[in-house]
Amino acid sequence: MRIAIVDDLDAERAQLKERLVRQLRARGTEAELLEFDSGEAFLAAENEQRFSAAFLDIYMEGLSGMETAKELRKTDADCLLVFTTTSTDHALEGFQVRALHYLVKPFSEAELSALLDEMLSKLPRPEPILTVKVDGSDIRLCYRDIVSAEHFAHMISIRTTAGKTLATRQSFKAFTEPLKKDPRFFVCGRGAIVNMENAADFQDAAFCMTDGSRIYVSQELLKAARQAFMEFLLQRGRVG
């Protein structure tokens, strides 16, 4: 996901970027945020590679945000447009270029948060990435490629759909914190987590994973595990 921030004021761009980074991180979403100090610079970059969304300041030197939007719409009908402005005088023109929203400066964190939720609901959800250090190198793992992970003796062993087992040294709490925000993952106890997307069944107090392994669930979590797995299957249409 690529998001453009177009504003001729450095401080305005920097502030919006900082707020977007914070909001996206809280949602476990990765995005490439690119800054442009003019509509012309943004259009040149967009011509090379499409953007998922763009925040356009209306009042800029050279092409205004509205003029930039009209040029953009000649070649790109899908980019989500958000105007950042001190006035809503151009609301009718915004409708003509199918703007998603107006953010009137100064806008609150709550306004930006609600807008971001709306934007993300309209965009294809990018697959989250988990970065782990293995043998001194950073390895980027798509969540969907994680089968399970278990913690033992200060090391975490991660089983992947490629049939590999990766070992990384970190606390179980730090490792699982981002994964727990994804409904595919279930923490089975003090030192085990599974990706239910890669679970074939649940039998005898254990998740039966697609790689043939079995991950046992602690006694106090058995009921929650069965319920979570059934709800996951129902949502994915795998039972009925």
Side-chain angles (χ1 to χ4, degrees), residues 5-237:
I5 301 171
V6 188
D7 197 312
D8 56 357
L9 297 178
D10 295 349
E12 295 282 348
R13 292 197 311 275
Q15 182 185 54
L16 179 53
K17 183 176 183 179
E18 179 184 340
R19 295 170 76 176
L20 285 173
V21 166
R22 184 167 59 249
Q23 293 272 0
L24 289 166
R25 185 179 295 130
R27 290 165 173 78
T29 301
E30 287 196 354
E32 184 180 8
L33 299 175
L34 300 175
E35 298 180 47
F36 301 96
D37 60 6
S38 70
E40 291 88 342
F42 163 63
L43 290 172
E46 212 275 343
N47 189 51
E48 295 294 324
Q49 188 175 355
R50 294 288 178 90
F51 283 84
S52 308
F55 288 80
L56 297 172
D57 181 40
I58 287 185
Y59 301 106
M60 294 187 292
E61 294 292 332
L63 284 179
S64 69
M66 192 59 66
E67 290 168 338
T68 301
K70 290 177 179 178
E71 285 298 314
L72 174 72
R73 283 293 181 244
K74 293 177 181 179
T75 57
D76 189 339
D78 299 321
C79 181
L80 298 180
L81 295 179
V82 177
F83 289 112
T84 58
T85 177
T86 55
S87 167
T88 57
D89 290 346
H90 298 271
L92 179 58
E93 288 181 281
F95 177 77
Q96 292 170 346
V97 295
R98 300 187 304 285
L100 175 66
H101 198 72
Y102 272 81
L103 278 177
V104 180
K105 301 176 183 179
F107 47 87
S108 69
E109 201 74 15
E111 288 177 284
L112 182 60
S113 178
L115 170 61
L116 204 52
D117 285 338
E118 183 180 359
M119 287 177 62
L120 293 176
S121 73
K122 295 179 181 297
L123 293 171
R125 184 77 173 180
E127 178 64 19
I129 299 290
L130 184 71
T131 302
V132 294
K133 193 168 287 294
V134 177
D135 295 330
S137 300
D138 285 338
I139 303 296
R140 289 164 57 84
L141 281 173
C142 289
Y143 280 22
R144 64 170 173 262
D145 293 334
I146 299 172
V147 174
S148 62
E150 294 181 277
H151 183 250
F152 181 74
H154 307 294
M155 297 294 291
I156 294 175
S157 295
I158 309 164
R159 295 187 183 90
T160 73
T161 54
K164 297 180 179 180
T165 299
L166 306 176
T168 184
R169 180 181 293 275
Q170 61 175 297
S171 73
F172 186 67
K173 180 180 179 181
F175 175 79
T176 58
E177 197 62 36
L179 298 178
K180 288 190 296 184
K181 297 175 184 177
D182 191 301
R184 290 174 289 186
F185 288 87
F186 185 84
V187 177
C188 302
R190 291 174 62 87
I193 188 170
V194 298
N195 181 352
M196 293 185 289
E197 189 172 38
N198 295 314
D201 203 354
F202 188 87
Q203 296 178 353
D204 301 326
F207 282 100
C208 306
M209 309 308 293
T210 51
D211 66 353
S213 62
R214 295 172 65 88
I215 307 297
Y216 285 87
V217 178
S218 61
Q219 187 67 34
E220 65 272 16
L221 292 174
L222 278 177
K223 183 178 179 180
R226 290 193 186 98
Q227 182 177 347
F229 189 47
M230 182 59 66
E231 289 178 353
F232 179 80
L233 293 178
L234 287 170
Q235 289 170 0
R236 292 300 174 96

